[in-house]
Amino acid sequence: MEYEGSSIFLPVHAEVDGKQVTERVKLRAFMRAELWPAYLGGLGTREFQFVIRDWELFGASRLLSRLYFGDSRGRLKNEDHPEAGREQVVMTWTLAHHYVKQGDDGDNSLGPVSGLRIDGVTDHNTDQGDLYWQVTAGSRSGVWNVRFFREAEETVAPDDVVAHAAEVEAGASFVAESPVEEPQFSYKLPFRRESHGHGLSVSWTLGRDPKDGARGKVRINEQPKSICIADDPPIEGLGADSSDFPAHIIYTANFEVWANGTQVAGDQMGIAHAKAVRGIPPRDVKVAFEKPIQGDGFSFASGMCLGMHEITREEFLEGVEAARAARSRAL
């Protein structure tokens, strides 16, 4: 896993009072990517693939504040107390997540997937996009346990659990989390179990009429894979990794765009390119941000990404929470 931070500059166009207005919005970006080992491609060049597992961008927009609030400064937080200041429209970009539940058609044991959010997905805690679940009776009447597994085994060991929630009441919200936060290494365990502890978190609601022993799975529609390809093949006699860089990198993702708590574009396909990359993340290069789309009364043009750098997991989570907080505020 790799955590990256950057700044994205995106032109936004809109018609205001009969005139075309453009603003160059600056968005802070936070990314969590899962990388796979490098290999030699069909042309003999060294390359590796990766998936953007999480991607959150957010930034205030004077233009959108003018469109939605009638004032580029934003709206007053408290009409009776102007000294409290103003709030602007915050634009956020996030990955488009789609889930399909199987084994509980009536939403009796688990709630509808419209209320589901899964964080911390990796190739080690899901089975190519599948996450298996089981509901069992709790320690007393009226409460239930929910466990999630990577595999659909009839009999599972404690180490197979990738997230669990205990003593949940029917109809109540719950958060099922990984038993451990960090990978636990042991020669006694198969490799896939060494990386369970990547912070998997499942936020959902228990059904109104759970069934003891109910089982099923959730299909997580995966993001497309991205790729990084070396410009030159390895040098003969020096080994496969003798020509990693320079390289070019292609990012791909399906995403949504929000203005505060209102979605203005959904399930869009985007792509970004960077050439002359000499490291991961691609520092000191411009990344072409090719995601031009139409919004609600405005449009986004091609932009660029600058200042990519590695960040800690804690910094990434702070950025995620800031973006989600913006999406919790109504226009």
Side-chain angles (χ1 to χ4, degrees):
M1 300 305 302
E2 182 171 284
Y3 299 92
E4 298 180 8
S6 63
S7 296
I8 290 178
F9 297 87
L10 189 69
V12 180
H13 306 292
E15 184 175 313
V16 180
D17 299 330
K19 297 181 180 179
Q20 286 293 325
V21 180
T22 299
E23 178 189 26
R24 189 169 181 254
V25 179
K26 179 182 179 180
L27 305 170
R28 296 183 63 194
F30 299 83
M31 178 188 296
R32 182 178 71 99
E34 183 174 7
L35 287 62
W36 277 267
Y39 57 89
L40 290 182
L43 298 179
T45 53
R46 190 165 161 87
E47 58 191 63
F48 70 88
Q49 297 183 11
F50 61 99
V51 168
I52 301 173
R53 292 296 189 186
D54 293 288
W55 188 58
E56 295 283 357
L57 291 74
F58 66 91
S61 170
R62 292 175 60 85
L63 178 54
L64 296 190
S65 294
R66 188 174 176 184
L67 285 175
Y68 287 109
F69 296 158
D71 193 321
S72 60
R73 297 172 299 172
R75 67 183 172 193
L76 291 171
K77 294 181 181 178
N78 189 322
E79 294 285 349
D80 297 327
H81 298 280
E83 68 275 8
R86 296 173 177 268
E87 62 172 335
Q88 288 188 308
V89 172
V90 176
M91 182 167 60
T92 62
W93 295 52
T94 185
L95 293 186
H97 293 293
H98 302 285
Y99 309 112
V100 178
K101 180 177 61 171
Q102 298 179 13
D104 184 33
D105 293 339
D107 296 332
N108 295 312
S109 294
L110 291 170
V113 292
S114 58
L116 170 62
R117 190 181 80 199
I118 304 176
D119 293 314
V121 170
T122 72
D123 199 45
H124 296 289
N125 54 34
T126 59
D127 180 17
Q128 298 183 1
D130 287 338
L131 184 62
Y132 296 87
W133 57 267
Q134 182 183 45
V135 176
T136 57
S139 61
R140 65 182 191 278
S141 176
V143 297
W144 306 83
N145 300 321
V146 186
R147 297 190 297 171
F148 293 90
F149 314 96
R150 185 180 183 271
E151 295 185 354
E153 301 169 343
E154 288 299 324
T155 303
V156 294
D159 290 321
D160 290 306
V161 179
V162 293
H164 75 280
E167 310 293 275
V168 183
E169 295 183 358
S173 298
F174 66 86
V175 178
E177 296 182 307
S178 299
V180 292
E181 280 296 317
E182 298 298 331
Q184 301 296 308
F185 298 96
S186 170
Y187 67 91
K188 297 179 180 179
L189 299 177
F191 178 74
R192 72 171 181 83
R193 292 182 181 170
E194 294 179 0
S195 300
H196 273 182
H198 280 293
L200 186 71
S201 175
V202 182
S203 303
W204 209 349
T205 302
L206 199 64
R208 295 291 180 180
D209 186 22
K211 306 299 181 185
D212 187 22
R215 301 175 66 97
K217 74 176 180 179
V218 174
R219 176 67 183 172
I220 306 169
N221 292 342
E222 295 260 282
Q223 288 287 324
K225 284 188 177 180
S226 303
I227 193 167
C228 184
I229 306 173
D231 289 339
D232 303 308
I235 300 172
E236 187 174 354
L238 294 184
D241 60 351
S242 61
S243 186
D244 276 354
F245 300 104
H248 67 275
I249 190 168
I250 303 172
Y251 297 88
T252 55
N254 296 329
F255 61 92
E256 303 169 346
V257 183
W258 295 70
N260 283 17
T262 298
Q263 184 176 321
V264 297
D267 204 14
Q268 302 287 319
M269 181 65 186
I271 192 167
H273 297 264
K275 297 286 289 184
V277 172
R278 294 190 174 274
I280 302 297
R283 296 177 175 86
D284 302 320
V285 297
K286 293 180 179 179
V287 179
F289 194 79
E290 298 294 334
K291 299 173 176 64
I293 61 173
Q294 294 292 321
D296 182 15
F298 51 88
S299 62
F300 305 100
S302 300
M304 64 178 178
C305 177
L306 296 174
M308 296 190 72
H309 61 284
E310 190 171 353
I311 60 176
T312 65
R313 181 174 181 268
E314 290 70 27
E315 290 173 313
F316 165 77
L317 293 176
E318 288 177 3
V320 169
E321 290 305 313
R324 289 177 176 171
R327 288 196 293 273
S328 70
R329 296 195 294 267
L331 282 177

